[in-house]
């Protein structure tokens, strides 16, 4: 039985794919064994060793096991898989696509089956996980389905990229190719001509070495979009990618520093870089590295622990307008609203989308003023002697002071934030019409919009109709001399009410705006 197997052969048992890494005997046992590396590492038991002796290497640690030679599940040609899925009568269970705008669910209707029988009309073909191991008759492929534009051959049993190239050679209209989850033992092809029209390539979890990836990229000179996730890349030592590349997804790898991808700055057309689900802890890329055209960066689900890391982005990504940075440790232990304003405040006004949320001009103004107040509070707590040290952690201080005015910095003794009283404002609320009035203590950190909502509840007014005309009061009673009236009526005002009032006591007239 063992003679029917060969090294790097792709097999399937009970639907689970594996690669033969060893054929032979194992010390202390009888008979021959196959050493296999499972695509799903959870099925593995070791990395190719038994009782301290190494028999084979695994690309993924602990993905290996020894099994007795036995017949695997049968493999198929490309056309056998195609006809089995798209041209077999009876009820179907998978989604099928007739064009980019026509996607149907296979339910066994006669009309759909008639359409499926006409394989020449199909433009999008999904043959992932169908045990394809060889190309079959190339000329017959060209006659059967010549109009394919989008082809998914992921998670099959190809051993050589040449088989994929032969299939693609019969498909002159092919623009999108997905070969994820295939474990090729050879990336050599007789000609790269079958791949020259490919614009969209997905090579997720094919586990190439960097040299293999470099070679692979030479075969696809015109791709504009590349998804290369789950490949175990820890750094990008060079930029072997073709110059037309605009979108690059390197998510779910093991990159630890943003500086590890510096060579990508050489790509002249790169506009989108996705690095989600890595282990990135720092966003600093030393000068003179600049990504001149990058507009969208995704570093969500990483290990970024401090908001000051965002300060590094403008110099490296001067036209960055869309950032995803959520689900990092810096968002832990802080209210989501505060975290959102911290991020907006630290980022320049070129940033129009943050974590999939559009940043309005009003939201930016509120966030920047809130951020300024937090810097002022930090300076106050640290003391004037440490002012420079504090400001070194807030690069936008001078810019924001020019835009919104420098906030007043209270002496530490004026407001003792360790006492509850110092963190509360005493609001004396009077109805504009009638005798109703209330005395409420409000935390200085309360957003103005929240105060309006609470006031509406207390006075029976819709929150959108509430207007508060406020004046500061002397702590010992009476109105503060030359006190300016502060009107709170903006429904989107997320600034803390404490930013408006230095004194602890505030008198507010509650009015109902006309709608």
């Amino acid at each position: 039985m063992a003679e029917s197997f060969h090294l790097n052969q792709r097999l399937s048992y009970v639907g689970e794919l594996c690669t033969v890494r060893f054929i032979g005997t194992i010390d202390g046992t009888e008979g021959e064994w196959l050493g296999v590396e499972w695509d799903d590492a959870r099925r593995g038991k070791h990395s190719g060793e038994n009782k301290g002796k190494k028999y084979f290497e695994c690309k993924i640690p602990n993905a290996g096991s020894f099994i007795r030679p036995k017949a695997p599940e049968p493999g198929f040609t490309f056309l056998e898989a195609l006809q089995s899925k798209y041209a077999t009568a009876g009820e179907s269970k998978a989604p099928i696509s007739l064009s980019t705008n026509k996607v149907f669910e296979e339910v066994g209707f006669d009309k759909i089956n008639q359409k499926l029988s006409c394989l020449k009309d199909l433009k999008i073909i999904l043959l992932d996980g169908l045990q394809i191991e060889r190309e079959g008759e190339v000329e017959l492929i060209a006659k059967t389905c010549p109009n394919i534009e989008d082809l998914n051959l992921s998670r099959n049993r190809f051993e050589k990229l040449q088989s994929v190239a032969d299939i693609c050679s019969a498909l002159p209209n092919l623009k999108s190719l997905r070969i994820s989850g295939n474990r090729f033992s050879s990336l050599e092809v007789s000609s790269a001509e079958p791949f020259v029209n490919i614009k969209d390539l997905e090579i997720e979890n094919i586990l190439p070495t960097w040299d293999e990836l470099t070679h692979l990229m030479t075969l696809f000179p015109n791709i504009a979009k590349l998804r290369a996730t789950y490949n175990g890349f820890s750094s990008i030592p060079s930029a072997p990618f073709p110059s037309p590349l605009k979108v690059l997804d390197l998510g779910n790898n093991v990159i630890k520093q943003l500086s590890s991808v510096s060579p990508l700055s050489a790509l002249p057309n790169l506009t989108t870089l996705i690095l989600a689900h890595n282990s990135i802890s720092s966003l600093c890329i030393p000068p003179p590295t600049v990504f001149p055209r990058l507009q969208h960066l995704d570093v969500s689900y990483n290990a970024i622990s401090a908001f000051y890391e965002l300060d590094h982005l403008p110099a490296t990504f001067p036209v960055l307008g869309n950032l995803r940075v959520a689900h990092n440790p810096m968002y832990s232990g802080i209210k989501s609203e505060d975290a959102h304003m911290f991020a907006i405040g630290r980022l320049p006004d070129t940033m129009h989308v943050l974590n999939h949320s559009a940043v309005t001009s009003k939201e930016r103004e509120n966030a920047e003023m809130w951020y300024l107040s937090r810097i002022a509070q930090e300076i106050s707590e640290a003391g004037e002697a440490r002012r420079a040290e504090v400001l070194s952690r807030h690069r936008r201080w001078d810019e924001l002071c020019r835009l919104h005015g420098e906030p007043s910095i209270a002496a530490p003794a004026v407001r003792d934030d360790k006492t509850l009283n110092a963190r509360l404002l005493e609001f004396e609320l009077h109805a504009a019409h009638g005798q109703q009035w209330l005395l409420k203590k409000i935390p200085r950190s309360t957003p103005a919009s929240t105060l309006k909502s609470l006031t509406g509840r207390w006075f029976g007014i819709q929150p959108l109709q509430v207007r508060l005309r406020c004046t500061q009061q002397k702590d010992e009673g009476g109105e503060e001399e030359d006190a300016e009236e502060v009107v709170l009526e903006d429904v989107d005002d997320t600034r803390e009410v404490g930013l408006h009032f230095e004194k602890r006591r505030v008198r507010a007239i509650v009015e109902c705006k006309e709608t």
Side-chain angles (χ1 to χ4, degrees):
M1 174 64 81
E3 60 272 11
S4 62
F5 296 92
H6 59 267
L7 292 179
N8 297 317
Q9 184 177 358
R10 296 283 285 160
L11 307 175
S12 177
Y13 294 102
V14 197
E16 295 290 342
L17 296 174
C18 63
T19 305
V20 177
R21 301 298 188 196
F22 168 81
I23 304 172
T25 60
I26 298 176
D27 294 349
T29 68
E30 296 182 356
E32 290 190 294
W33 295 83
L34 298 181
V36 299
E37 180 179 4
W38 296 98
D39 286 16
D40 183 354
R42 293 173 297 183
R43 291 184 60 89
K45 298 179 179 178
H46 50 72
S47 296
E49 64 277 333
N50 182 62
K51 295 182 179 179
K53 183 176 179 179
K54 193 76 170 179
Y55 289 88
F56 64 92
E57 298 291 338
C58 285
K59 289 190 174 184
I60 302 176
N62 298 315
S65 67
F66 292 105
I67 61 174
R68 289 294 187 181
K70 58 181 178 180
E73 293 170 338
F76 302 98
T77 66
F78 173 82
L79 282 180
E80 287 171 344
L82 177 71
Q83 293 168 349
S84 174
K85 180 170 183 179
Y86 289 101
T88 301
E91 185 173 347
S92 304
K93 299 181 180 179
I96 62 96
S97 303
L98 302 179
S99 72
T100 54
N101 297 318
K102 296 182 179 180
V103 180
F104 299 88
E105 181 182 356
E106 293 177 330
V107 291
F109 296 140
D110 291 341
K111 185 175 181 180
I112 296 179
N113 280 327
Q114 290 173 6
K115 191 68 175 178
L116 292 178
S117 298
C118 191
L119 297 177
K120 289 184 178 181
D121 291 339
L122 294 175
K123 294 185 178 181
I124 300 177
I125 295 291
L126 310 178
L127 298 179
D128 51 313
L130 292 185
Q131 311 284 356
I132 305 173
E133 62 181 12
R134 57 194 182 278
E135 64 277 15
E137 297 183 44
V138 176
E139 291 184 0
L140 190 54
I141 295 175
K143 293 178 180 179
T144 304
C145 49
N147 294 312
I148 296 176
E149 297 177 1
D150 187 331
L151 177 61
N152 189 344
L153 295 175
S154 299
R155 290 170 288 281
N156 278 293
R157 290 163 56 176
F158 297 109
E159 295 177 29
K160 299 180 179 181
L161 187 63
Q162 182 64 57
S163 297
V164 176
D166 289 341
I167 294 171
C168 293
S169 68
L171 308 174
N173 298 321
L174 190 64
K175 300 293 188 298
S176 176
L177 176 65
R178 282 168 276 178
I179 52 175
S180 297
N182 286 289
R183 303 294 167 80
F184 299 104
S185 60
S186 171
L187 295 176
E188 298 298 326
V189 296
S190 58
S191 169
E193 186 65 24
F195 301 137
V196 295
N197 293 325
I198 303 292
K199 299 294 190 296
D200 186 342
L201 177 65
E202 182 184 285
I203 53 170
E204 174 181 305
N205 195 27
I206 68 170
L207 305 180
T209 65
W210 194 256
D211 287 342
E212 288 173 335
L213 179 68
T214 299
H215 169 69
L216 185 63
M217 290 298 97
T218 65
L219 307 179
F220 295 88
N222 295 308
I223 56 172
K225 183 177 181 180
L226 174 65
R227 179 179 172 86
T229 58
Y230 292 99
N231 280 307
F233 299 141
S234 59
S235 64
I236 310 299
S238 60
F241 309 102
S243 60
L245 189 65
K246 294 181 178 180
V247 179
L248 176 59
D249 188 350
L250 293 172
N252 293 96
N253 282 288
V254 289
I255 299 168
K256 294 183 178 181
Q257 307 290 332
L258 192 59
S259 57
S260 299
V261 304
S262 294
L264 299 179
S265 63
L267 297 175
N269 295 298
L270 187 65
T271 60
T272 299
L273 178 59
I274 301 173
L275 298 169
H277 294 278
N278 275 274
S279 302
I280 297 171
S281 60
S282 173
L283 298 180
C284 178
I285 298 182
T289 301
V290 174
F291 288 71
R293 300 190 64 183
L294 197 84
Q295 300 171 15
H296 178 196
L297 176 66
D298 187 344
V299 287
S300 58
Y301 295 97
N302 274 282
I304 304 164
S305 59
F307 280 95
Y308 65 74
E309 290 290 343
L310 300 178
D311 292 350
H312 299 300
L313 297 180
T316 307
F317 307 99
V319 296
L320 186 66
N322 188 331
L323 173 67
R324 191 174 183 217
V325 72
H327 305 288
N328 273 285
M330 66 184 182
Y331 281 85
S332 302
I334 184 173
K335 293 190 298 183
S336 59
E337 297 87 351
D338 290 356
H340 189 62
M341 288 196 289
F342 262 129
I344 294 174
R346 284 184 174 273
L347 295 167
D349 57 10
T350 55
M351 194 66 58
H352 302 302
V353 180
L354 177 63
N355 297 326
H356 297 310
S357 177
V359 180
T360 65
S361 56
K362 186 64 177 178
E363 184 180 24
R364 170 164 291 281
E365 180 184 5
N366 289 339
E368 289 177 345
M369 293 182 68
W370 180 88
Y371 177 45
L372 268 177
S373 73
R374 286 305 179 95
I375 302 174
Q377 181 180 337
E378 189 176 343
I379 295 172
S380 175
E381 293 173 351
E384 191 63 29
R386 298 178 60 191
R387 179 188 181 98
E389 177 188 340
V390 171
L391 294 184
S392 68
R393 299 191 291 267
H394 304 281
R395 295 188 181 183
R396 295 196 71 203
W397 168 260
D398 290 337
E399 176 191 356
L400 295 181
C401 285
R402 288 193 299 270
L403 288 173
H404 306 293
E406 183 172 343
S408 59
I409 300 174
V414 173
R415 183 182 296 166
D416 182 4
D417 287 334
K418 295 181 180 179
T419 66
L420 179 60
N421 247 5
R423 296 197 298 269
L424 295 176
L425 288 171
E426 189 175 281
F427 269 83
E428 188 180 308
L429 299 159
H430 293 263
H433 304 287
Q435 302 298 316
Q436 183 182 4
W437 72 280
L438 295 172
L439 187 63
K440 295 287 185 179
K441 291 186 176 181
I442 305 295
R444 288 181 173 273
S445 59
T446 303
S449 56
T450 301
L451 175 60
K452 288 174 72 275
S453 296
L454 292 172
T455 303
R457 187 187 309 166
W458 296 329
F459 285 80
I461 305 173
Q462 290 293 327
L464 294 178
Q465 296 177 268
V466 173
R467 178 192 290 121
L468 298 176
R469 297 189 178 277
C470 309
T471 52
Q472 297 192 84
Q473 305 289 296
K474 295 180 180 178
D475 290 340
E476 63 274 12
E479 188 172 306
E480 184 75 12
E481 293 181 8
D482 300 323
E484 292 185 5
E485 183 181 67
V486 175
V487 179
L488 303 179
E489 59 179 341
D490 192 338
V491 295
D492 296 321
D493 192 350
T494 58
R495 289 175 293 179
E496 299 176 356
V497 293
L499 295 178
H500 297 287
F501 310 108
E502 286 296 325
K503 298 296 182 180
R504 191 167 62 85
R505 299 182 62 196
V506 179
R507 188 174 190 273
I509 303 300
V510 182
E511 298 179 347
C512 179
K513 297 188 294 184
E514 293 183 3
T515 57

